[in-house]
Amino acid sequence: MTTNLRLPAIEIDQGRGQRVYTFAVDAKLIPSFAAIHRAGRADDGRTLVGYQRPEVVKHIRAIADYIESDRPMIPNALTISFDATVTFEPHDLNGPVGYARTGDLVVPIPADPNLRPGHLVDGQQRTAAVREADVDTFPLACCAFITGNEAVAREQFLLVNNTKPLPKGLIHELLPGTTTKLPRVLERKRYPAELVAELNLLPWSPLHDRIRTATRPDGFIKDNSVLRMLENSLTDGALYRYRDPHTGQGDTDAIIELVTNFFSAVATVWPNAWDAPPRKSRLVHGAGIIALGFLMDTICDMAAEPGSIPSTNRFTDELRRVAPHCAWMSGHWRFGTDHVRAWNEVQNTSKDQQLLANHLIRHYIEAVRGTPASQIQPNAA
């Protein structure tokens, strides 16, 4: 059986068919009509569902302690996304005054919690704190919108949290599911994030389930390392030729083919280093992944037929040229006559990424052209 909760509200017309609703409600009631849609993967393993990060217990307890204090005040509003079962009944049928009108927001509370009409877009920690606090009631201000599209709720979640310390991994997973215009820093990462998701989800990809994300926490290659490797190549490398600089999109099939061919070759040439975790292998470490991306670009420039994508076998042959100069799991990196480091002293910093990339590129060019590595001055990063 479904009951209705009637909430006095103000409807604000923001133009272009967009309306938002402001109201107050006892936050103890919010779980009865709004769920927290946590980020995860559907049964098919590919489809991203939800968008919320996990609860932070210490943060919730701190807010709850404040709510239990003598004079608590939480002025910032929660954001809730409602589906079309929620309706607004205006008080004045003659129309709004200016941009707004008052009325009742009619929110159904179903007996089955799986049919709740709302999702909490912003404010899960505050709501959880009220739930845990030893108080009978605690009203909170809310701002809501009605939509049947989860992508809209996901986009609002990104926009609301853009200036907050949202985990980067969660941002990267949410970006491919958005379509609205985002701040430039996020807009630039949307297509590379889509590629990261594909590389991690495709069963035949050498990176399948190896990239650590919010919904794939068992991966051991950091998503940000793969993202940066792709960004570098899309900006000024082998993948640039497959990208439309005006739209930011690209020939995804061709890009995926090139990257999977390359990393399949990496796995063939260095199988032990490819299967080891970063603490035991600098190949799957951030510095290694980013440096290998620059080497991939160089191989495509020097060894690929114009307009063609090198096969896995071709990449394998080219990578074997630099294999004697690599110390992914043991030994020393010999970056120069007076610059020798133990294999695990290479760190995931911009300086070391460039150092490692230039080392690989110099020895590759030496093997192809015969020019001594000491005389080659690449500038990979």
Side-chain angles (χ1 to χ4, degrees), residues 227-243:
L227 188 74
R228 287 193 57 196
M229 179 271 294
L230 293 170
E231 285 182 301
N232 292 336
S233 188
L234 286 165
T235 300
D236 190 29
L239 303 183
Y240 178 79
R241 72 192 70 173
Y242 302 108
R243 182 177 184 178

Side-chain angles (χ1 to χ4, degrees), residues 16 65 82 93 132 210 229 279 286 300 365:
R16 301 179 186 177
D65 288 343
F82 284 126
L93 299 180
E132 299 296 328
R210 289 173 177 264
M229 179 271 294
R279 69 180 183 278
C300 287
I365 295 175

Side-chain angles (χ1 to χ4, degrees), residues 27-28 55 59-68 74 123-135:
K28 294 279 190 181
E55 288 185 353
H59 186 205
I60 290 172
R61 187 62 253 172
I63 300 173
D65 288 343
Y66 171 69
I67 292 171
E68 294 169 359
I74 301 179
Q124 66 157 323
Q125 314 294 359
R126 282 164 283 163
T127 303
V130 175
R131 179 193 68 208
E132 299 296 328
D134 186 16
V135 295

Side-chain angles (χ1 to χ4, degrees), residues 353-370:
Q353 291 162 9
Q354 180 172 357
L355 180 68
L356 183 55
N358 288 344
H359 172 80
L360 298 176
I361 292 170
R362 278 200 303 269
H363 283 289
Y364 177 71
I365 295 175
E366 178 184 46
V368 173
R369 295 180 178 172

